[in-house]
Amino acid sequence: MIKLENVNKWYGDYHALVDINEEVTQGEVVVVCGPSGSGKSTLIRTLNRLEPIQKGRILLDGQDIYGPGVDVNALRSRIGFVFQQFNLFPHLTALENCTLAPTRIRKLPPQEARDLAMALLNRVGLAHKASAYPSQLSGGQQQRVAIARALAMSPPVMLFDEPTSALDPEMVGEVLQAMKGLARDGMTMVVVTHEMGFARDVCDRVLFMDQGSVLERTTPERFFTRPEHPRAQKFLADVLSPWQGTPDASA
Amino acid sequence: MWEIIQTYWLYYLIGQYPEGPLGGLALTLVLAALALLLAFPVGILLALCRLSHYRSLRWPVTAVVYVVRGTPLLMVVFWAYFLLPSLTGQMTDQFNTMLAALVIFDGAYLSEIIRAGIQAIPKGQTESARSLGFNYLQAMRLVILPQALRNMLPSLVNQFVSTIKETSLGYIISLNEVSFVATQINTQLLTRPAEVYLLLGLTYFVLCFGLSRVAFWLERRLAAGVAHQ
């Protein structure tokens, strides 16, 4: 479904993504993890052209998304994207956030868009907040609305860029529940996250990144029980029991 | 003052209309309203050019904005008065000359307010709109500008109030707007400039104060819908 071939990206002299070759198949849930600055957010942002790449190809259903003559807007409407900072539209209600794109881009009649949006808000447990503005919602609720908003375009793929990193700890669960529900319904998902519990329970495959390269690609069972790469081992030790590690002299 | 009003009220309000061209307060209102209506979209357009990735749009517009900002309005009025006829090949009347000057001048000022307003909206708003599949103009129109304009409202009203007052410079090219008419009345009366110009001052004050109040009411109404984060 998504195929990356020899993807490279530079910020000036800085080599942000190094020779990435990956494939995500239909219905697969892939978690991308790694230390901060490892390129995982950059990677997921290249998948819907929020960041340009300098070398290589990214194919969505066989179509090169950086190819000449590609309608980037049509492309993006087929890829749901959920941001770390939610980025809901603050001047619109939760419901209007979810109906804006369907009415304007998919040209759904207002009533149909409304029904769809209500169904999706209901799915993330927020039908009762339909007329609330983003500022009246908690972080977890905002992120769930953001998921519903992305789903309203009926994308075959959903990308999540650290969807729970900006949340207070007690709100992480409700967002992960919503994502888990999506995964169960067969959605193809790529998730950048530090939530190792989600990775262990929900995903089909883990990619571990550091310094712009994918160092390990494996099943969650193997990743959590027998990580191969030394940096993956250190990362897991730091993330799973942060109070036990010793301060890294090189950091 | 009362007898001045009694004698000249019609002349003050509409000039020599219908025997002659429309003038007085009515002309000032028409000029100000048209200038606002035209300068606003021009300001948005200039702001979008200033923010454009394309140098061919950004550089000339930036130059124009800097030149206009570095020039008194009176100079722009003179330019319009002497330049427009030689450019178009036909005599432009005073009203359209003044209107052109105001639209250029206020368009440039408004564009800087609008540019600042657009840049103050977090980048994530554009990104999330684009990620849903909106093109650049849709993202601007549906997501960025509605938020930006709301934040800009106080500065915009400032500029709009300025525009009303700037119409008085039409006097210099003999446009018979309300200041010109007041001066005519003063010339006929000769001895009572204090009262005539007090009346003129009051007229501008009522207009500008009224607009400020309407804007304030609008601002509160908009704020009622969305508590800011």
Side-chain angles (χ1 to χ4, degrees):
Chain A
M1 178 149 227
I2 307 177
K3 199 167 179 205
L4 294 90
E5 294 177 351
N6 199 27
V7 171
N8 280 270
K9 176 173 177 62
W10 286 266
Y11 289 111
D13 288 339
Y14 181 67
H15 203 168
L17 294 177
V18 185
D19 297 330
I20 310 273
N21 287 287
E22 286 304 329
E23 186 160 6
V24 180
T25 55
Q26 175 125 28
E28 203 178 12
V29 178
V30 176
V31 160
V32 184
C33 62
S36 67
S38 59
K40 51 196 192 307
S41 279
T42 306
L43 177 68
I44 201 169
R45 287 165 61 88
T46 62
L47 298 182
N48 75 340
R49 280 183 61 168
L50 279 175
E51 300 279 352
I53 60 172
Q54 278 78 39
K55 209 177 129 201
R57 294 204 302 169
I58 298 176
L59 306 172
L60 178 69
D61 290 333
Q63 182 194 25
D64 182 358
I65 67 170
Y66 289 89
V70 169
D71 180 351
V72 65
N73 301 313
L75 171 88
R76 285 182 177 139
S77 68
R78 288 195 289 140
I79 305 172
F81 201 102
V82 176
F83 296 85
Q84 183 178 356
Q85 298 295 341
F86 333 133
N87 295 340
L88 288 181
F89 307 136
H91 60 302
L92 302 176
T93 63
L95 183 70
E96 289 164 347
N97 264 279
C98 297
T99 55
L100 189 68
T103 49
R104 301 289 179 145
I105 301 173
R106 292 174 67 192
K107 309 281 182 203
L108 290 188
Q111 190 54 46
E112 203 176 314
R114 224 187 106 87
D115 293 345
L116 170 72
M118 282 310 289
L120 290 169
L121 284 174
N122 192 37
R123 186 165 165 189
V124 295
L126 286 173
H128 62 294
K129 292 285 186 186
S131 56
Y133 284 93
S135 58
Q136 297 162 328
L137 300 173
S138 73
Q141 290 171 332
Q142 288 190 54
Q143 191 61 298
R144 285 187 282 155
V145 173
I147 293 172
R149 176 178 69 175
L151 290 173
M153 289 302 287
S154 305
V157 190
M158 289 281 285
L159 309 177
F160 296 81
D161 185 7
E162 304 207 27
T164 57
S165 300
L167 297 175
D168 288 336
E170 78 270 23
M171 294 170 184
V172 169
E174 62 193 67
V175 172
L176 292 180
Q177 283 300 329
M179 290 167 60
K180 208 169 164 179
L182 270 183
R184 217 175 19 233
D185 295 346
M187 176 64 81
T188 309
M189 294 162 67
V190 180
V191 185
V192 171
T193 186
H194 293 297
E195 293 298 330
M196 290 301 121
F198 178 81
R200 190 159 33 202
D201 296 347
V202 181
C203 83
D204 303 306
R205 205 145 53 90
V206 175
L207 301 183
F208 175 76
M209 285 185 75
D210 195 18
Q211 295 176 348
S213 307
V214 175
L215 297 182
E216 193 148 344
R217 54 178 67 72
T218 181
T219 60
E221 296 81 42
R222 282 186 67 92
F223 184 69
F224 288 107
T225 51
R226 297 186 300 280
E228 279 163 24
H229 202 283
R231 268 183 274 173
Q233 292 164 2
K234 177 173 181 339
F235 172 77
L236 276 174
D238 287 345
V239 171
L240 295 178
S241 22
W243 56 89
Q244 283 174 350
T246 48
D248 187 351
S250 68
Chain B
M1 191 169 188
W2 184 238
E3 50 182 286
I4 299 180
I5 295 175
Q6 273 184 322
T7 317
Y8 289 103
W9 67 274
L10 193 61
Y11 181 50
Y12 190 76
L13 286 183
I14 59 172
Q16 284 146 340
Y17 193 78
E19 276 78 40
L22 184 70
L25 185 57
L27 187 73
T28 293
L29 288 175
V30 172
L31 182 60
L34 276 178
L36 292 183
L37 282 177
L38 293 176
F40 190 48
V42 167
I44 291 179
L45 203 66
L46 293 181
L48 293 182
C49 289
R50 286 268 277 150
L51 292 169
S52 172
H53 294 299
Y54 303 108
R55 280 180 199 166
S56 51
L57 287 175
R58 196 170 66 234
W59 287 4
V61 170
T62 305
V64 166
V65 169
Y66 272 81
V67 166
V68 169
R69 274 204 313 190
T71 322
L73 175 58
L74 189 59
M75 210 61 63
V76 180
V77 175
F78 283 150
W79 281 350
Y81 191 61
F82 295 114
L83 262 180
L84 273 184
S86 56
L87 283 178
T88 58
Q90 50 189 334
M91 196 59 197
T92 316
D93 62 23
Q94 288 110 322
F95 181 83
N96 286 315
T97 303
M98 193 60 206
L99 184 59
L102 284 175
V103 169
I104 293 168
F105 192 79
D106 288 317
Y109 273 84
L110 286 171
S111 79
E112 287 296 275
I113 296 172
I114 295 166
R115 180 173 70 92
I118 291 173
Q119 284 180 319
I121 301 298
K123 206 165 151 255
Q125 289 291 313
T126 311
E127 285 188 347
S128 65
R130 296 303 300 272
S131 79
L132 286 167
F134 287 115
N135 63 34
Y136 170 81
L137 284 178
Q138 287 173 318
M140 268 295 157
R141 188 165 53 85
L142 299 170
V143 175
I144 306 301
L145 283 177
Q147 297 179 56
L149 291 176
R150 193 183 306 233
N151 298 340
M152 285 184 259
L153 201 60
S155 305
L156 288 177
V157 172
N158 238 352
Q159 194 57 40
F160 289 165
V161 166
S162 266
T163 307
I164 293 180
K165 293 186 283 190
E166 284 160 0
T167 58
S168 64
L169 281 186
Y171 171 84
I172 212 75
I173 53 170
S174 310
L175 176 66
N176 57 343
E177 43 70 56
V178 73
S179 299
F180 188 85
V181 163
T183 309
Q184 296 285 10
I185 294 172
N186 182 48
T187 312
Q188 285 180 29
L189 292 167
L190 276 176
T191 54
R192 305 170 72 177
E195 286 154 86
V196 172
Y197 288 116
L198 183 65
L199 181 66
L200 181 62
L202 270 175
T203 306
Y204 279 115
F205 178 79
V206 168
L207 284 183
C208 297
F209 185 71
L211 180 61
S212 301
R213 294 306 299 177
V214 169
F216 182 66
W217 170 81
L218 192 66
E219 207 178 313
R220 276 203 317 193
R221 243 186 63 124
L222 288 174
V226 187
H228 281 278
Q229 288 169 317

